[in-house]
Amino acid sequence: MKKILFILLFIPCTLIFSQSADDIVRKVDENSTYKSYRAEGKVVVEGSYGKRTSEFIAYAKGVDNSLIEFISGEEEGQKIFKTSDDLYIKYPYAEDIQRLSRKKTLGAVSYDEMSGERDTLKNYKTKLLGRETIDGRDVYKIELIAKTSKVAHYKQELFVDSENFVVLKVLYYSKSGKLTKEMVTKEVKKIGDKFIGTRSLITDKLKANNSTESILFSIELDIPLDDKIFSLDELAW
Amino acid sequence: MVRKITLIFLIASIGIPLFSDVNISASLSGLVTANRVGDSDITASSLAKGYLSLNSSGLNDVKSQLTLDFTSMKNLGILSISKAWIKFRFPLFRVTLGKNRITWGEGAAFNAGDVIFDDYSAPGAGEEGVDLTAEELRSMNRTLAQLIVPFGRFTYGELIFLPYDFPLYIEAPVPYYELDSSKPLGYSLTTIPDYKTALDLTQQSYGGRFVTKAGGIKLESGYIYNGYTKMHKPYISFDGTLGVDYHLSTSASIENEKYEFENWKESLKISAGVFYLFNLEEDRSLTLRVEALVKPFTESEKSRIFLYPEISLVPNDEIALFLRGIINPLDLDINSTLGMNWKTYQGFSIGTFFNLKYKESEELDLSLTVAVTHKF
């Protein structure tokens, strides 16, 4: 959950004014990587015909292992296991595991985003555009341009809190320069000595009444998680 | 006395939720179909179908599910149990007992590695066991006992026992009587279930498979012995990515003690497929899938190759469009479906499917089906 779970992490630190865009993005990535975590939450997709809600439980360990299980909604029973190479999906009706090497989307949030894409500098070129103020917070405005076609968005503008490196807003652009989506962090909570974005809203800028809201009910960081959780056997269970 | 009963009832009521955490899900579909074969008049039919599924919850290491399927058409109703299983696991292995879906091998439409179900045809499925209007193209369940031993994150071994569950019948003499008489007048040959054969240990099937990952490729190899047909069925499957996702499977059915290649070459099957997903701008996606099934030595020359092309466009998260079909390029038989699925409210969708079947020796078969589904 690049935008939902991970990038929205806050680590108190002293601001270094001379940081480059790469340094800031690296800081965002570092701050959003934990030894492990377990979270429960829900995704509310709003479209022309009302809202569709799916609740989930997510686990992650290190940078490359994550597992999401949907526990309600149309995706109930569906599990997504992501490794550094592949994305595995288990559909409950089929008792079958499918491997995907590309993305599949749930509303405005792609599975890759939900399961953590934390090597931003590998996939994007960065540029510091300046500093602004959002809701009284001083933020860095950073432009990300995709180096590869494998990422979901060609261009992004990140608004990173200059004190805690929480991403407060993201603007997503198409290759033609059209603004397609906006993500806003609506709630940040302190968990232990870290700050986590626990509520965010992604709005589709091309369609009316179309948004995806992500809410975390609970999150535990740096807890012991068995490696077996991140296996095909657990996915099939 | 009344107090005692009330107290027992209250205690029991408190205790029940601890042991009966159940998730209930259900789906109802209404289908209307208009059909025209050749120059005949258009006919119309409708039916309702659905399922009710009870899933246990609350325990991490024990799961169970009971799923009842029903189909209702005119005054005919069919109720069946599609899933009834219990799973449990210990630190070193896990076990599934009951009736469940099981998938061996790789492939959405064609899967030569599916040695368990190659004797079956899915309900509603056409040639090669594929239902072109279904979310899951091949879907069949079996009664089984399964033991899985994980050896690593991507490696596991599996042993399986498959009791005979074909609808097995025999012709048997059944007595008939005159009214008010216990003495049979004679015997007539009637079709009855063949329980004796079905329960015979030598008629059962069993086998195993080994799944692992090496060099980014999922490797799967296994074997089933079908006790009823006395066939040995080995298979091997590969699944990987080389620019596109691909899979390749092959299997054969070898009759007991007839191991020479000439005896089983006709059963040799090879399936292969590629899949690619294009992420288009503005959250749209386009997927392409092409699969082929080849039976290089089958007796019928015109049944040696089948193709399954599929193109699917998802313009947004509410609508999905697809065109898919089974094509026999040797005699130009085509069974194709153009479909649209529109998800509106939570759990509610409207599907529209236009099906075209063309066979050289038969008349053109056209049908249009509208299906409304509510999952809750």
Side-chain angles (χ1 to χ4, degrees):
Chain A
M1 295 184 179
K2 181 172 63 180
K3 283 83 188 178
I4 302 166
L5 294 176
F6 305 107
I7 295 185
L8 307 175
L9 177 66
F10 177 105
I11 292 183
C13 63
T14 307
L15 185 65
I16 302 166
F17 288 96
S18 59
Q19 288 179 111
S20 69
D22 276 10
D23 291 336
I24 296 164
V25 170
R26 198 174 290 117
K27 202 80 169 174
V28 169
D29 279 356
E30 284 171 10
N31 290 346
S32 60
T33 303
Y34 323 110
K35 287 178 188 167
S36 64
Y37 81 83
R38 181 186 183 281
E40 291 187 30
K42 70 175 179 180
V43 178
V44 182
V45 179
E46 185 165 8
S48 314
Y49 298 91
K51 292 179 178 176
R52 289 180 279 140
T53 303
S54 300
E55 292 179 298
F56 63 84
I57 301 173
Y59 301 87
K61 192 171 186 179
V63 179
D64 292 330
N65 295 300
S66 62
L67 178 77
I68 295 173
E69 179 179 5
F70 288 95
I71 54 173
S72 75
E74 288 169 47
E75 296 84 8
E76 184 175 353
Q78 197 177 112
K79 291 182 182 178
I80 301 153
F81 168 39
K82 184 173 179 275
T83 68
S84 55
D85 302 322
D86 296 309
L87 199 65
Y88 297 89
I89 301 176
K90 186 210 172 187
Y91 295 100
Y93 56 83
E95 295 285 334
D96 187 18
I97 294 171
Q98 284 189 14
R99 190 186 60 84
L100 285 183
S101 57
R102 306 276 298 199
K103 293 176 177 64
K104 198 169 174 178
T105 59
L106 171 78
V109 186
S110 78
Y111 285 161
D112 255 15
E113 288 167 349
M114 293 187 68
S115 54
E117 182 188 278
R118 276 156 280 174
D119 200 354
T120 310
L121 293 175
K122 183 180 164 190
N123 295 317
Y124 291 94
K125 286 186 291 185
T126 67
K127 184 179 174 186
L128 182 59
L129 298 177
R131 296 176 78 151
E132 292 185 8
T133 302
I134 294 179
D135 294 334
R137 308 283 302 178
D138 181 53
V139 296
Y140 293 115
K141 185 178 178 184
I142 294 169
E143 181 185 77
L144 302 182
I145 301 287
K147 293 178 185 175
T148 164
S149 62
K150 289 182 179 176
V151 294
H153 309 284
Y154 173 74
K155 178 184 160 186
Q156 299 177 35
E157 283 176 8
L158 302 187
F159 297 80
V160 182
D161 192 307
S162 62
E163 284 185 35
N164 55 40
F165 293 91
V166 168
V167 177
L168 296 180
K169 189 165 93 171
V170 186
L171 298 175
Y172 300 93
Y173 294 89
S174 67
K175 206 166 184 175
S176 60
K178 199 186 291 179
L179 178 64
T180 57
K181 280 191 264 180
E182 178 190 65
M183 190 284 290
V184 176
T185 301
K186 303 184 82 175
E187 186 178 85
V188 177
K189 282 186 181 169
K190 190 176 182 188
I191 313 273
D193 60 347
K194 297 176 180 177
F195 287 82
I196 310 281
T198 53
R199 194 178 188 114
S200 66
L201 180 71
I202 299 177
T203 311
D204 194 316
K205 293 295 180 185
L206 302 175
K207 285 174 263 178
N209 304 319
N210 203 301
S211 65
T212 302
E213 186 171 22
S214 305
I215 301 157
L216 292 183
F217 307 134
S218 69
I219 184 161
E220 299 168 84
L221 301 180
D222 299 331
I223 53 170
L225 288 177
D226 196 326
D227 282 342
K228 284 182 182 174
I229 291 174
F230 308 101
S231 66
L232 291 185
D233 188 53
E234 180 63 31
L235 192 65
W237 173 248
Chain B
M1 184 65 182
V2 172
R3 276 187 186 175
K4 271 188 181 176
I5 293 170
T6 308
L7 187 63
I8 290 167
F9 179 75
L10 281 173
I11 291 169
S13 302
I14 293 164
I16 283 168
L18 296 175
F19 299 101
S20 60
D21 290 344
V22 174
N23 286 333
I24 300 172
S25 59
S27 172
L28 272 173
S29 295
L31 291 90
V32 179
T33 300
N35 182 243
R36 186 178 191 194
V37 181
D39 296 328
S40 64
D41 292 338
I42 295 172
T43 58
S45 61
S46 66
L47 64 87
K49 63 178 185 177
Y51 67 79
L52 175 68
S53 188
L54 309 175
N55 293 274
S56 71
S57 64
L59 285 174
N60 280 334
D61 299 309
V62 181
K63 285 184 175 181
S64 55
Q65 184 184 110
L66 173 65
T67 301
L68 304 172
D69 284 19
F70 75 89
T71 302
S72 174
M73 189 176 178
K74 292 184 179 174
N75 57 354
L76 179 69
I78 301 168
L79 186 67
S80 61
I81 296 173
S82 59
K83 288 187 179 180
W85 51 256
I86 298 171
K87 292 180 186 177
F88 58 92
R89 63 181 174 183
F90 293 111
L92 296 179
F93 63 90
R94 64 183 170 92
V95 172
T96 302
L97 291 170
K99 189 174 185 183
N100 197 13
R101 178 83 175 100
I102 183 166
T103 306
W104 284 13
E106 300 290 341
F110 299 136
N111 178 3
D114 190 359
V115 291
I116 293 176
F117 289 106
D118 60 354
D119 297 322
Y120 282 69
S121 248
E127 200 156 18
E128 299 305 327
V130 176
D131 180 0
L132 294 173
T133 62
E135 197 169 358
E136 191 189 14
L137 295 171
R138 296 158 54 87
S139 175
M140 287 164 284
N141 302 338
R142 268 200 80 162
T143 306
L144 53 87
Q146 179 190 45
L147 173 76
I148 291 180
V149 183
F151 297 112
R153 294 175 61 208
F154 299 95
T155 303
Y156 59 90
E158 178 179 341
L159 294 173
I160 194 164
F161 174 72
L162 301 155
Y164 200 96
D165 65 352
F166 281 86
L168 191 62
Y169 297 95
I170 53 169
E171 293 279 312
V174 174
Y176 58 92
Y177 303 88
E178 196 175 12
L179 279 176
D180 302 328
S181 170
S182 60
K183 192 179 174 185
L185 276 177
Y187 293 86
S188 64
L189 275 178
T190 309
T191 304
I192 63 167
D194 182 7
Y195 295 115
K196 191 181 172 191
T197 306
L199 295 173
D200 185 346
L201 196 61
T202 62
Q203 306 295 319
Q204 318 307 319
S205 299
Y206 46 83
R209 67 170 170 163
F210 183 75
V211 179
T212 191
K213 190 178 170 187
I217 299 170
K218 182 188 168 197
L219 305 170
E220 180 180 335
S221 184
Y223 160 84
I224 283 284
Y225 174 69
N226 186 323
Y228 180 66
T229 58
K230 311 297 179 205
M231 291 283 187
H232 302 270
K233 299 181 172 188
Y235 80 97
I236 188 163
S237 284
F238 303 89
D239 176 29
T241 304
L242 205 65
V244 296
D245 291 349
Y246 68 86
H247 63 83
L248 177 68
S249 302
T250 184
S251 68
S253 296
I254 304 167
E255 198 174 339
N256 220 357
E257 297 177 0
K258 292 185 177 176
Y259 303 121
E260 293 80 21
F261 179 66
E262 283 301 313
N263 290 324
W264 56 265
K265 69 177 186 181
E266 201 182 321
S267 71
L268 188 68
K269 284 196 285 192
I270 301 161
S271 65
V274 291
F275 173 81
Y276 196 80
L277 188 152
F278 297 92
N279 280 310
L280 307 176
E281 286 193 354
E282 300 165 15
D283 279 342
R284 291 175 297 170
S285 66
L286 179 73
T287 58
L288 298 175
R289 184 190 298 275
V290 179
E291 293 186 349
L293 176 68
V294 180
K295 301 174 188 173
F297 303 106
T298 194
E299 197 175 352
S300 168
E301 284 187 12
K302 287 194 170 180
S303 299
R304 287 188 176 167
I305 184 164
F306 293 91
L307 299 174
Y308 174 80
E310 179 190 276
I311 182 167
S312 176
L313 175 69
V314 181
N316 55 55
D317 64 329
E318 290 174 357
I319 292 175
L321 301 157
F322 66 82
L323 176 62
R324 52 173 68 143
I326 304 284
I327 298 170
N328 182 335
L330 299 177
D331 62 5
L332 292 179
D333 284 358
I334 294 173
N335 180 5
S336 63
T337 296
L338 175 67
M340 184 187 81
N341 205 29
W342 181 29
K343 288 183 180 178
T344 57
Y345 308 107
Q346 177 133 14
F348 179 76
S349 64
I350 300 171
T352 307
F353 310 100
F354 177 70
N355 184 258
L356 179 151
K357 284 181 195 166
Y358 171 76
K359 274 196 169 190
E360 199 176 10
S361 55
E362 296 175 13
E363 292 181 290
L364 188 66
D365 185 342
L366 301 169
S367 67
L368 178 68
T369 300
V370 177
V372 178
T373 301
H374 187 201
K375 292 178 182 173
F376 51 95

